[in-house]
Amino acid sequence: MSAIIDSPRQPQQRASKGRVNWEKWGWIYMRASGVLLIILIFGHLFVNLVQGDGIKAIDFAFVAGKYASPFWQVWDVVMLWLAMIHGSNGMRTIVNDYASNPLVRRILLGALFVAAVVLIVLGTLVVFTFDPCSTLIPADQALSFCPAP
Amino acid sequence: MPNEAVSTLATARSSSKRPAGTLYRGNTGMWSWVLHRITGVAIYFFLLVHVLDTAMIRVSPGAYDAVMSTYKNPLMGLGETALVIAIMFHAFNGLRIILIDFWSKGAKYQRLMFWIVIALWVIGTAGFAPIHLHNVFTEPH
Ligand code: HEM
Ligand code: HEM
């Protein structure tokens, strides 16, 4: 049960010349993205849950109103990328801590990676291809300000 | 507070057989880590679902309004309250971690900062929960 861990002041083995130290950049990323996410997520929660009628006011028209402005489009996409990568990288640390079987570990890390790529691509496309007056929308669901087809 | 953090390493000054806590083991350092980990995982799984439910705006207004209506029922309302409370802990404690790492006096004040995190967390919850629960449990006007 007893494992020998390095002294906290043990100098880290230098990465061989010209190699990028990904662990270090991941560590820095967790902190930099964390600071930005506080502003982005608290702003998101304030506008969507606290202002006005909060959760009861959220529907298709509410989102159409927000995404009419590039400000909220960029806000959401930056939040999406930062949070997905921060969360996935944090989950990677946790998988590395607990998954002792190498095969299980590789499967879990692969799943985290695939989920992150799929959701980042999907979320980005959703925001930038969103059209509240799309002709694909059934007429009885169309918003009142959309031109009649 | 007894045993004010003077050092981040274990110091066996007390006569107790139990080793004193360190920045990481036992006491506030460990519990803040456990909570940070649990809240991080919870927010991660929420985000996976949340990107998918938001994607319904690309399907049709009816599809989006249908998923959003599930977010408006009382049980989900309690879940959203818990989610926001979890995010507040993760965010404030995240700032504490960042200060421990980058501020020269961070490790010295980590225990004090933990209690500041708890205080901000309680204040934030007291500010948010009544507003959200009111929205969830009453009809909009
Ligand atoms: C219960 C609490 C929440 C509610 C009711 C909510 C509601 C919404 C709504 C209505 C949208 C559509 C666009 C907009 O309003 O900006 C949205 C998008 C988004 N939300 Fe939330 N949100 C919540 C919590 C969160 C949290 C905690 C995060 C971050 C971890 C988050 C991240 C996002 C992202 C990244 C998008 C954009 C999705 C995309 O790109 O397709 N939300 N949210
Ligand atoms: C609100 C702003 C946030 C701040 C300030 C923040 C800060 C941090 C910090 C400083 C760490 C420690 C990284 C390390 O030890 O190297 C961390 C870990 C983590 N974060 Fe966040 N974070 C935030 C939002 C989020 C969100 C939105 C998610 C989920 C999508 C998330 C999921 C995680 C996970 C899973 C970990 C790993 C926990 C562990 O290793 O025990 N965080 N966060």
Side-chain angles (χ1 to χ4, degrees):
Chain A
M1 265 314 281
S2 67
I4 298 173
I5 53 173
D6 286 339
S7 140
R9 302 211 186 278
Q10 184 82 21
Q12 204 226 329
Q13 218 164 3
R14 282 253 161 270
S16 43
K17 255 213 180 93
R19 285 272 201 80
V20 179
N21 184 347
W22 288 106
E23 264 333 307
K24 180 182 95 177
W25 286 107
W27 186 93
I28 292 172
Y29 175 84
M30 291 306 276
R31 281 143 186 83
S33 61
V35 172
L36 295 172
L37 280 169
I38 290 195
I39 301 163
L40 293 169
I41 294 179
F42 282 21
H44 184 67
L45 294 174
F46 184 78
V47 171
N48 288 1
L49 290 181
V50 177
Q51 266 186 347
D53 288 327
I55 188 95
K56 290 274 171 76
I58 300 177
D59 59 8
F60 184 83
F62 174 91
V63 181
K66 275 184 88 175
Y67 284 165
S69 147
F71 178 82
W72 290 116
Q73 290 185 327
V74 172
W75 183 291
D76 276 16
V77 168
V78 172
M79 181 165 66
L80 169 75
W81 283 66
L82 288 177
M84 262 327 284
I85 297 173
H86 176 108
S88 305
N89 190 238
M91 291 296 288
R92 183 184 66 92
T93 305
I94 297 175
V95 166
N96 284 339
D97 276 358
Y98 299 122
S100 41
N101 179 318
L103 180 66
V104 172
R105 180 175 159 269
R106 287 187 62 155
I107 292 172
L108 290 175
L109 293 183
L112 287 175
F113 184 77
V114 171
V117 172
V118 168
L119 290 175
I120 286 175
V121 170
L122 174 71
T124 307
L125 286 176
V126 162
V127 172
F128 287 126
T129 66
F130 175 64
D131 172 8
C133 297
S134 160
T135 50
L136 296 174
I137 292 174
D140 59 331
Q141 293 179 22
L143 296 183
S144 53
F145 65 78
C146 293
Chain B
M1 261 166 278
N3 202 0
E4 195 66 53
V6 270
S7 152
T8 59
L9 297 176
T11 43
R13 249 186 250 117
S14 79
S15 54
S16 160
K17 287 250 164 48
R18 279 177 69 221
T22 69
L23 174 55
Y24 302 109
R25 188 164 159 284
N27 301 332
T28 51
M30 185 180 87
W31 292 111
S32 66
W33 172 79
V34 169
L35 271 177
H36 197 81
R37 188 157 266 201
I38 294 172
T39 51
V41 173
I43 305 164
Y44 172 80
F45 282 108
F46 166 78
L47 185 59
L48 297 188
V49 177
H50 188 48
V51 175
L52 295 175
D53 64 56
T54 302
M56 292 300 124
I57 58 169
R58 246 350 234 101
V59 176
S60 76
Y64 185 74
D65 291 353
V67 266
M68 272 322 295
S69 73
T70 66
Y71 277 88
K72 293 170 193 172
N73 85 41
L75 205 60
M76 287 292 276
L78 294 177
E80 291 141 17
T81 312
L83 173 76
V84 174
I85 291 174
I87 291 174
M88 283 196 283
F89 177 83
H90 191 94
F92 297 147
N93 189 58
L95 277 183
R96 169 177 161 273
I97 296 175
I98 294 168
L99 285 171
I100 293 174
D101 289 338
F102 290 108
W103 179 35
S104 57
K105 297 204 169 68
K108 183 175 167 198
Y109 291 119
Q110 67 89 11
R111 192 186 300 265
L112 173 64
M113 288 195 290
F114 175 79
W115 292 112
I116 296 175
V117 166
I118 299 293
L120 289 175
W121 193 27
V122 170
I123 294 168
T125 301
F128 172 77
I131 296 175
H132 187 59
L133 293 174
H134 175 83
N135 286 334
V136 168
F137 288 99
T138 60
E139 288 307 313
H141 27 266

